[in-house]
Amino acid sequence: MKVRTYLLRLLGPVLVLGTLGALGGTGIASAAQASHKGWWVCSGTLKKPGVLTGHHVDVEVAGACDVNAGHAQVQGNIILAPGATLVAAFARNDRRHKGTSGLTVGGNITVLKGGSLILGCESPFFPCLDDPHPKHPTLSSTTLVGGNLVAADSLGILMHHSIIGGNVVQTAGGGGLKCVPQGVFALFKSPVYSDYEDNQIGGGLNVSGLRSCWLGALRNAVHGNLTAAGNRMADPDANEILTNLVHGNIACSGNSPAVQYGDSHGMANRVVGSAAGECGFGVLKPDPAPSGPLAPISVLVS
């Protein structure tokens, strides 16, 4: 079963009423409203995460941290320590029960080994974790990052409905070639995966060397190059890299399975520059897999 569909099915009353509490509904209130000078640490556990809110210069995430108590603004950078988790997929202020939540970062977000990052949420593709009607969601939340998002040996990166001013680079890591819950994904009873959907990326999107259950990149506007190389997935439906608008070049190689339509109901990538490898202009794949009519993975646009 495709992991993305599997997770969405789980975002129902059990998740909202049960897991949401563990994701910060009554977690540790470890952020102050006032501005802070220098590095500030948001710390907690998956069961009692810290809360990032207010204004800060730079932030380190140690353990687990949620953005669900209003807007958090970080002037500089956010670094996720090894094994840390940052979840910014809430639309409401769940502490005051009034107003909205969101995250704005002026600099970069860096995710170190074993870290997990969940940014943004949108209906219907990835409902916000606090949407009161998860089966018919209406809420959304956007994360704004002025610089780059870089993940090295991370566990999983989920990014939806977000704006990244620079590059998005995910290198190596993942949950391994098995579809079992780990880390923050275990709270959702979901296998580990990585996914980029409906984002505006000012630079390039590069995912390489990932070993996980599922990978997708759908409906993103990428102003630089899009590259997917050497990503091996356990789910045969993985590596759905489709419906993206790429203003630079697109290149896909050495992925297993090779880039495909799967059951994504996606469309060809629209590419202004060149297209190579599994995402080349001449590559045709069944839509849907495995026996649908052949369709191009990428098409040239002016």
Side-chain angles (χ1 to χ4, degrees):
M1 180 185 296
K2 186 165 77 171
V3 175
R4 183 162 53 93
T5 304
Y6 176 67
L7 179 58
L8 288 175
R9 190 185 71 184
L10 289 169
L11 289 174
V14 173
L15 173 63
V16 172
L17 297 178
T19 304
L20 185 58
L23 283 173
T26 57
I28 301 172
S30 26
Q33 295 292 335
S35 297
H36 296 268
K37 294 182 179 180
W39 286 91
W40 182 83
V41 178
C42 184
S43 63
T45 66
L46 290 175
K47 291 186 177 181
K48 291 185 177 181
V51 177
L52 175 59
T53 187
H55 296 76
H56 302 275
V57 177
D58 296 292
V59 170
E60 176 187 349
V61 177
C65 185
D66 289 347
V67 181
N68 68 337
H71 284 267
Q73 297 184 16
V74 179
Q75 178 180 337
N77 306 308
I78 295 180
I79 292 180
L80 275 66
T85 297
L86 176 63
V87 179
F90 301 90
R92 305 186 302 178
N93 185 328
D94 296 316
R95 289 175 66 194
R96 294 183 177 273
H97 304 289
K98 181 180 180 180
T100 60
S101 289
L103 175 63
T104 300
V105 181
N108 306 316
I109 297 180
T110 302
V111 185
L112 299 181
K113 185 175 182 178
S116 300
L117 181 65
I118 304 178
L119 293 183
C121 50
E122 56 174 336
S123 61
F125 301 109
F126 191 84
C128 299
L129 299 179
D130 54 356
D131 196 305
H133 306 290
K135 291 186 177 180
H136 303 283
T138 60
L139 302 181
S140 65
S141 179
T142 302
T143 296
L144 305 175
V145 179
N148 305 313
L149 191 163
V150 178
D153 285 319
S154 61
L155 182 62
I157 305 295
L158 307 183
M159 191 172 80
H160 294 77
H161 200 249
S162 294
I163 300 173
I164 309 296
N167 300 307
V168 176
V169 180
Q170 183 179 5
T171 306
L177 296 178
K178 50 190 176 182
C179 291
V180 298
Q182 300 176 53
V184 68
F185 293 88
L187 293 178
F188 305 106
K189 298 181 175 63
S190 167
V192 176
Y193 71 109
S194 290
D195 191 20
Y196 301 89
E197 299 190 23
D198 299 295
N199 302 294
Q200 297 279 340
I201 301 173
L205 171 60
N206 184 317
V207 183
S208 62
L210 187 61
R211 301 290 184 268
S212 198
C213 182
W214 190 85
L215 169 66
L218 299 160
R219 303 178 305 277
N220 300 289
V222 181
H223 291 268
N225 301 324
L226 193 160
T227 304
N231 300 299
R232 295 180 60 192
M233 301 293 127
D235 190 336
D237 188 60
N239 291 326
E240 295 174 342
I241 300 174
L242 298 160
T243 328
N244 300 294
L245 173 60
V246 182
H247 292 269
N249 307 316
I250 188 170
C252 308
S253 63
N255 300 294
S256 178
V259 172
Q260 60 173 325
Y261 276 91
D263 59 356
S264 66
H265 306 289
M267 297 182 293
N269 298 299
R270 295 177 293 154
V271 184
V272 175
S274 64
E278 299 163 16
C279 295
F281 291 135
V283 176
L284 302 176
K285 290 289 184 176
D287 179 19
S291 57
L294 295 177
I297 291 293
S298 300
V299 295
L300 179 66
V301 296
S302 56

